[in-house]
Amino acid sequence: MNYLVTGGAGFIGSNFIDYMLAQHPHCRIVCLDKLTYAADMSNLANALHSPRFTFVKGDICAERALDKLFEREKFDAVINFAAETHVDRSIKRPSVFLKSNVLGVQALADCCVKYGVRLHHISTDEVYGDLPLGSSVLLNEESALRPSSPYAASKAAADLLIAAYCRTYGLKATISRCCNNYGPNQYAEKLIPLAISHIQSGRPVPLYGNGLNVRDWLYVEDHCRAVDIILQRGECGQVYNVAAHCELDNLTLVKKLLAAIGAEDNLIKFVPDRKGHDLRYGIDDAKLRALGWQISVAFEEGLKRTIAHYTK
């Protein structure tokens, strides 16, 4: 298989490339990345040693260059990790998110239709909106989309656009909506690497509001396995939720990090809450598990690996 991985120099994309090169010895991967602030070529250090890997610097919104790449490389499938992802940044500059997360997906979909290439799009559980604290409700792939932030709205728009392309143009595509990821190579603005950095340098760890907002935490390697299984066994035109069933409020999460690193709770600093801050995410992943996927890295082990990575 000849894969195009967009956004491959970022957090999840780089982990996915390493995973696929290790698990599929006959696959070839071309990584297309614009190298924005959250991407880093050092994330691809292992892949760059492989003769089955090629890096191309470029923007998924650059339609002419994208078309030439598709024409030259004859891809079998595209896995789209390219996106602006930080909610706070989307609140400040929504237009950047709409361009990358919607118009970029449209450009990819156009090329996939033109050249008959399978598309897998990486989405998020944030498209469903939030749930009340204390509830046990889980949302499935048929649940309504109720995004709260400009980021989530841009991802929901892309999901709907892909569904429309499947029906109108016959695009062969799948979508996965994953819970919060953590692990190596994540940019330091996200909660876990930010907290680790602050704790290790003795700085206060900022927590929005009262710190009781709940997220479900999945180790990135398990997400990579989920995408691989969807590529191999998933049905085109379908959406698959990816959940860890490891729900923690942010305060508990940071306290676990403090304990693991050997620091005191007095480093926690509550700051004014984020605008429109979602309370809880919870998704049902029975559809994916029916394909044979399950968690392989327990949270405590994943956290241990993550702290070791950032410490190094």
Side-chain angles (χ1 to χ4, degrees):
M1 296 288 286
N2 190 21
Y3 294 112
L4 172 63
V5 177
T6 60
F11 166 42
I12 307 175
S14 62
N15 279 279
F16 179 74
I17 288 170
D18 284 345
Y19 172 88
M20 292 295 284
L21 289 173
Q23 296 296 319
H24 298 279
H26 300 294
C27 81
R28 178 173 177 267
I29 294 177
V30 175
C31 169
L32 178 68
D33 200 297
K34 187 180 177 181
L35 295 180
T36 58
Y37 76 95
D40 194 325
M41 286 299 294
S42 67
N43 293 341
L44 298 171
N46 292 330
L48 287 166
H49 292 293
S50 172
R52 296 181 288 121
F53 176 78
T54 303
F55 177 80
V56 177
K57 184 178 180 181
D59 187 348
I60 60 173
C61 294
E63 296 183 16
R64 189 172 300 177
L66 195 63
D67 185 87
K68 288 181 179 179
L69 182 64
F70 270 75
E71 183 179 26
R72 182 175 73 244
E73 296 291 344
K74 313 298 182 187
F75 298 115
D76 295 300
V78 176
I79 303 92
N80 180 39
F81 292 95
E84 296 287 342
T85 64
H86 194 48
V87 173
D88 289 347
R89 290 177 184 265
S90 80
I91 293 171
K92 294 177 181 177
R93 295 189 65 193
S95 61
V96 175
F97 285 70
L98 293 175
K99 182 178 180 182
S100 178
N101 297 1
V102 181
L103 297 181
V105 171
Q106 171 244 309
L108 279 174
D110 283 341
C111 283
C112 286
V113 169
K114 180 177 179 180
Y115 292 97
V117 178
R118 160 86 178 274
L119 172 64
H120 180 75
H121 176 65
I122 306 298
S123 187
T124 170
D125 59 357
E126 295 192 38
V127 299
Y128 297 118
D130 65 350
L131 294 163
L133 293 178
S135 71
S136 59
V137 173
L138 296 177
L139 302 175
N140 62 32
E141 293 84 354
E142 303 301 319
S143 298
L145 304 187
R146 299 184 299 105
S148 303
S149 67
Y151 160 65
S154 71
K155 297 296 283 187
D159 289 5
L160 294 174
L161 186 65
I162 289 170
Y165 266 63
C166 290
R167 177 162 180 169
T168 303
Y169 303 112
L171 172 67
K172 295 179 179 179
T174 45
I175 296 171
S176 55
R177 294 174 180 153
C178 192
C179 61
N180 281 42
N181 280 215
Y182 69 100
N185 301 347
Q186 191 170 26
Y187 189 67
E189 67 188 356
K190 298 300 177 73
L191 178 56
I192 287 181
L194 177 73
I196 293 172
S197 172
H198 279 231
I199 293 167
Q200 290 180 334
S201 60
R203 290 175 290 165
V205 179
L207 271 184
Y208 281 130
N210 57 15
L212 298 183
N213 302 69
V214 172
R215 301 293 182 262
D216 185 15
W217 293 97
L218 178 71
Y219 191 65
V220 65
E221 182 182 303
D222 280 328
H223 187 187
C224 296
R225 289 178 47 253
V227 173
D228 185 21
I229 286 175
I230 294 169
L231 285 169
Q232 308 306 323
R233 306 175 192 170
E235 181 182 346
C236 285
Q238 295 297 309
V239 178
Y240 296 89
N241 286 341
V242 188
H245 304 289
C246 178
E247 294 189 19
L248 294 170
D249 64 68
N250 293 337
L251 181 58
T252 299
L253 172 64
V254 171
K255 285 183 177 181
K256 284 180 176 290
L257 288 168
L258 287 162
I261 297 173
E264 300 296 326
D265 288 358
N266 60 12
L267 282 180
I268 295 172
K269 179 183 179 181
F270 295 100
V271 298
D273 209 353
R274 166 192 286 163
K275 294 179 180 178
H277 199 177
D278 285 339
L279 297 176
R280 170 183 172 256
Y281 300 136
I283 52 175
D284 181 355
D285 63 342
K287 189 173 174 180
L288 175 62
R289 289 177 184 269
L291 299 182
W293 179 84
Q294 60 182 2
I295 298 294
S296 65
V297 181
F299 180 74
E300 299 299 337
E301 172 60 24
L303 208 59
K304 180 180 177 181
R305 294 184 192 179
T306 303
I307 292 170
H309 169 82
Y310 288 106
T311 300
K312 181 181 178 181

